[in-house]
mmCIF file of all heavy atoms in Angstrom:
data_model
loop_
_atom_site.group_PDB
_atom_site.id
_atom_site.type_symbol
_atom_site.label_atom_id
_atom_site.label_comp_id
_atom_site.label_asym_id
_atom_site.label_seq_id
_atom_site.Cartn_x
_atom_site.Cartn_y
_atom_site.Cartn_z
ATOM 1 N N ALA A 563 -34.867 69.641 -34.098
ATOM 2 C CA ALA A 563 -35.336 68.495 -34.913
ATOM 3 C C ALA A 563 -34.389 67.328 -34.869
ATOM 4 O O ALA A 563 -34.823 66.169 -34.892
ATOM 5 C CB ALA A 563 -35.521 69.016 -36.370
ATOM 6 N N ILE A 564 -33.107 67.633 -34.789
ATOM 7 C CA ILE A 564 -32.114 66.563 -34.797
ATOM 8 C C ILE A 564 -32.277 65.671 -33.544
ATOM 9 O O ILE A 564 -32.009 64.446 -33.555
ATOM 10 C CB ILE A 564 -30.668 67.121 -34.885
ATOM 11 C CG1 ILE A 564 -29.681 65.954 -35.117
ATOM 12 C CG2 ILE A 564 -30.318 67.891 -33.618
ATOM 13 C CD1 ILE A 564 -28.270 66.486 -35.375
ATOM 14 N N LEU A 565 -32.713 66.254 -32.453
ATOM 15 C CA LEU A 565 -32.918 65.511 -31.204
ATOM 16 C C LEU A 565 -33.964 64.438 -31.381
ATOM 17 O O LEU A 565 -33.781 63.251 -31.018
ATOM 18 C CB LEU A 565 -33.328 66.447 -30.063
ATOM 19 C CG LEU A 565 -33.544 65.807 -28.690
ATOM 20 C CD1 LEU A 565 -32.274 65.210 -28.138
ATOM 21 C CD2 LEU A 565 -34.105 66.847 -27.705
ATOM 22 N N GLY A 566 -35.112 64.819 -32.034
ATOM 23 C CA GLY A 566 -36.160 63.846 -32.278
ATOM 24 C C GLY A 566 -35.729 62.714 -33.246
ATOM 25 O O GLY A 566 -36.065 61.553 -32.988
ATOM 26 N N ARG A 567 -34.896 63.055 -34.255
ATOM 27 C CA ARG A 567 -34.430 62.028 -35.162
ATOM 28 C C ARG A 567 -33.456 61.062 -34.492
ATOM 29 O O ARG A 567 -33.562 59.838 -34.679
ATOM 30 C CB ARG A 567 -33.736 62.704 -36.354
ATOM 31 C CG ARG A 567 -34.725 63.421 -37.300
ATOM 32 C CD ARG A 567 -34.050 63.701 -38.648
ATOM 33 N NE ARG A 567 -32.877 64.573 -38.493
ATOM 34 C CZ ARG A 567 -32.959 65.931 -38.599
ATOM 35 N NH1 ARG A 567 -34.143 66.493 -38.770
ATOM 36 N NH2 ARG A 567 -31.915 66.651 -38.463
ATOM 37 N N LEU A 568 -32.610 61.620 -33.656
ATOM 38 C CA LEU A 568 -31.640 60.719 -32.953
ATOM 39 C C LEU A 568 -32.366 59.763 -31.970
ATOM 40 O O LEU A 568 -32.036 58.558 -31.943
ATOM 41 C CB LEU A 568 -30.672 61.597 -32.128
ATOM 42 C CG LEU A 568 -29.588 62.264 -32.979
ATOM 43 C CD1 LEU A 568 -28.760 63.219 -32.075
ATOM 44 C CD2 LEU A 568 -28.662 61.291 -33.654
ATOM 45 N N LEU A 569 -33.352 60.318 -31.253
ATOM 46 C CA LEU A 569 -34.134 59.407 -30.347
ATOM 47 C C LEU A 569 -34.896 58.396 -31.079
ATOM 48 O O LEU A 569 -35.037 57.252 -30.643
ATOM 49 C CB LEU A 569 -35.043 60.283 -29.445
ATOM 50 C CG LEU A 569 -34.331 61.201 -28.408
ATOM 51 C CD1 LEU A 569 -35.309 62.034 -27.668
ATOM 52 C CD2 LEU A 569 -33.526 60.339 -27.428
ATOM 53 N N GLY A 570 -35.481 58.758 -32.253
ATOM 54 C CA GLY A 570 -36.219 57.831 -33.055
ATOM 55 C C GLY A 570 -35.308 56.687 -33.517
ATOM 56 O O GLY A 570 -35.726 55.507 -33.494
ATOM 57 N N GLU A 571 -34.145 57.038 -34.023
ATOM 58 C CA GLU A 571 -33.210 56.024 -34.498
ATOM 59 C C GLU A 571 -32.771 55.094 -33.367
ATOM 60 O O GLU A 571 -32.644 53.905 -33.494
ATOM 61 C CB GLU A 571 -31.944 56.680 -35.097
ATOM 62 C CG GLU A 571 -32.180 57.345 -36.398
ATOM 63 C CD GLU A 571 -32.503 56.325 -37.543
ATOM 64 O OE1 GLU A 571 -31.958 55.215 -37.462
ATOM 65 O OE2 GLU A 571 -33.333 56.645 -38.392
ATOM 66 N N LEU A 572 -32.492 55.707 -32.174
ATOM 67 C CA LEU A 572 -32.128 54.925 -30.979
ATOM 68 C C LEU A 572 -33.196 53.906 -30.621
ATOM 69 O O LEU A 572 -32.952 52.764 -30.299
ATOM 70 C CB LEU A 572 -31.803 55.845 -29.796
ATOM 71 C CG LEU A 572 -31.456 55.156 -28.497
ATOM 72 C CD1 LEU A 572 -30.145 54.335 -28.631
ATOM 73 C CD2 LEU A 572 -31.319 56.177 -27.365
ATOM 74 N N HIS A 573 -34.472 54.408 -30.633
ATOM 75 C CA HIS A 573 -35.624 53.563 -30.296
ATOM 76 C C HIS A 573 -35.703 52.391 -31.257
ATOM 77 O O HIS A 573 -35.873 51.235 -30.862
ATOM 78 C CB HIS A 573 -36.912 54.416 -30.388
ATOM 79 C CG HIS A 573 -38.118 53.759 -29.825
ATOM 80 N ND1 HIS A 573 -38.848 52.818 -30.567
ATOM 81 C CD2 HIS A 573 -38.739 53.853 -28.628
ATOM 82 C CE1 HIS A 573 -39.873 52.423 -29.827
ATOM 83 N NE2 HIS A 573 -39.813 53.028 -28.676
ATOM 84 N N THR A 574 -35.552 52.638 -32.572
ATOM 85 C CA THR A 574 -35.677 51.584 -33.568
ATOM 86 C C THR A 574 -34.546 50.558 -33.430
ATOM 87 O O THR A 574 -34.788 49.321 -33.465
ATOM 88 C CB THR A 574 -35.645 52.183 -34.955
ATOM 89 O OG1 THR A 574 -36.694 53.113 -35.081
ATOM 90 C CG2 THR A 574 -35.820 51.151 -36.055
ATOM 91 N N ILE A 575 -33.299 51.060 -33.305
ATOM 92 C CA ILE A 575 -32.171 50.158 -33.205
ATOM 93 C C ILE A 575 -32.218 49.277 -31.931
ATOM 94 O O ILE A 575 -31.981 48.067 -31.971
ATOM 95 C CB ILE A 575 -30.840 50.984 -33.185
ATOM 96 C CG1 ILE A 575 -30.644 51.635 -34.572
ATOM 97 C CG2 ILE A 575 -29.637 50.090 -32.870
ATOM 98 C CD1 ILE A 575 -29.537 52.685 -34.588
ATOM 99 N N THR A 576 -32.660 49.910 -30.819
ATOM 100 C CA THR A 576 -32.678 49.128 -29.573
ATOM 101 C C THR A 576 -33.789 48.025 -29.665
ATOM 102 O O THR A 576 -33.524 46.894 -29.272
ATOM 103 C CB THR A 576 -33.038 50.081 -28.386
ATOM 104 O OG1 THR A 576 -32.055 51.096 -28.388
ATOM 105 C CG2 THR A 576 -33.000 49.336 -27.067
ATOM 106 N N LEU A 577 -34.958 48.347 -30.230
ATOM 107 C CA LEU A 577 -36.005 47.380 -30.298
ATOM 108 C C LEU A 577 -35.596 46.199 -31.262
ATOM 109 O O LEU A 577 -35.817 45.044 -30.964
ATOM 110 C CB LEU A 577 -37.279 48.019 -30.796
ATOM 111 C CG LEU A 577 -38.087 48.827 -29.810
ATOM 112 C CD1 LEU A 577 -39.333 49.436 -30.489
ATOM 113 C CD2 LEU A 577 -38.554 47.917 -28.649
ATOM 114 N N ALA A 578 -34.927 46.561 -32.349
ATOM 115 C CA ALA A 578 -34.483 45.549 -33.280
ATOM 116 C C ALA A 578 -33.534 44.599 -32.673
ATOM 117 O O ALA A 578 -33.621 43.403 -32.775
ATOM 118 C CB ALA A 578 -33.899 46.235 -34.537
#
Side-chain angles (χ1 to χ4, degrees):
I564 190 173
L565 181 64
R567 289 197 296 270
L568 287 174
L569 290 177
E571 287 294 326
L572 176 64
H573 190 279
T574 302
I575 292 170
T576 305
L577 282 179

